[in-house]
Amino acid sequence: LVQSIFVAITATVLARPTFSEEDLAGLMTWRINVGQSVKYYDKLTFTSLSERICLQSPDYPIEMSSGISGTLGMITSYYPALTDENMSYANLLFGGPTLTLLAMMCWCLTTMAEFQSVWRLFEAVACLPTSRHTQVLKSGEEDFVIASMSVSRKAFFMFVLLCRFAIVTVLWYSGCIYLVNYSIDAGDLILNAVAL
């Protein structure tokens, strides 16, 4: 029950993208209506507001649109442009996309271990002989061995394994979506990967 609630919360609340289609449309509208407007053209530097924000330079004044500037700062910290003079391929290689890929690989390996555990339990139960009653034998002082399992108990165990498989599948998918859509800052990405 607790895992089902966790899966529902993860799939519906936490796996939302950082930038929705409405956000992207809003950015495009801002660029057309405000960023390229003659009203905000700087006659001293001969630049539009969009150009000054994209340059992210302290030499160019940005009299408004700090939210747009912050959004651009988040995007460039995640995926820096190769046109920057301070940019190198090493920074690009060790930037946001590589960190996201590594976090997703760790998450996938963690869930694959759980898939493997479910499969091993399935094989073990499937290989047990079936009888009318479950037989548990004592093997030594503290060890017990299941000699055979009843059909109803085997069916119940398979149902539990099927539920566990479904939960792991949804958690795997939701975790991947969560890491890709919710982690644009490197610190947030590491914290989200550890939280998963």
Side-chain angles (χ1 to χ4, degrees):
L1 178 67
V2 173
Q3 283 184 338
S4 299
I5 293 170
F6 182 70
V7 166
I9 290 171
T10 303
T12 58
V13 177
L14 297 179
R16 291 185 188 143
T18 303
F19 299 110
S20 66
E21 292 295 325
E22 292 174 1
D23 294 334
L24 296 178
L27 288 172
M28 181 60 80
T29 303
W30 176 88
R31 181 177 180 194
I32 292 168
N33 295 336
V34 177
Q36 298 296 332
S37 175
V38 174
K39 182 178 176 182
Y40 302 110
Y41 187 81
D42 187 20
K43 294 176 185 164
L44 183 64
T45 60
F46 300 109
T47 56
S48 67
L49 181 59
S50 292
E51 188 176 355
R52 292 192 305 275
I53 288 177
C54 288
L55 289 174
Q56 295 275 314
S57 173
D59 299 334
Y60 293 110
I62 300 175
E63 63 276 359
M64 58 183 294
S65 301
S66 62
I68 301 293
S69 180
T71 301
L72 182 63
M74 282 187 350
I75 293 170
T76 54
S77 70
Y78 178 80
Y79 194 75
L82 285 174
T83 57
D84 289 348
E85 53 275 346
N86 300 336
M87 183 60 208
S88 69
Y89 285 104
N91 290 345
L92 183 63
L93 179 64
F94 299 115
T98 305
L99 190 59
T100 302
L101 187 63
L102 287 173
M104 284 190 57
M105 186 177 74
C106 289
W107 175 242
C108 288
L109 288 174
T110 301
T111 54
M112 288 303 137
E114 190 64 27
F115 280 124
Q116 188 176 23
S117 172
V118 169
W119 178 252
R120 285 183 179 164
L121 280 172
F122 174 79
E123 282 183 323
V125 171
C127 290
L128 277 174
T130 305
S131 65
R132 286 187 63 200
H133 302 289
T134 302
Q135 295 178 349
V136 180
L137 304 174
K138 190 169 184 179
S139 171
E141 288 185 28
E142 296 181 11
D143 296 332
F144 293 93
V145 176
I146 300 174
S148 64
M149 192 177 275
S150 66
V151 175
S152 60
R153 193 170 297 220
K154 214 178 222 189
F156 178 73
F157 203 84
M158 292 296 183
F159 174 73
V160 169
L161 286 176
L162 182 66
C163 290
R164 189 171 162 191
F165 179 80
I167 287 171
V168 171
T169 302
V170 172
L171 282 176
W172 167 74
Y173 177 76
S174 299
C176 288
I177 297 298
Y178 179 67
L179 285 173
V180 169
N181 290 332
Y182 224 3
S183 307
I184 196 162
D185 181 47
D188 288 345
L189 178 61
I190 292 170
L191 287 174
N192 291 340
V194 169
L196 286 175

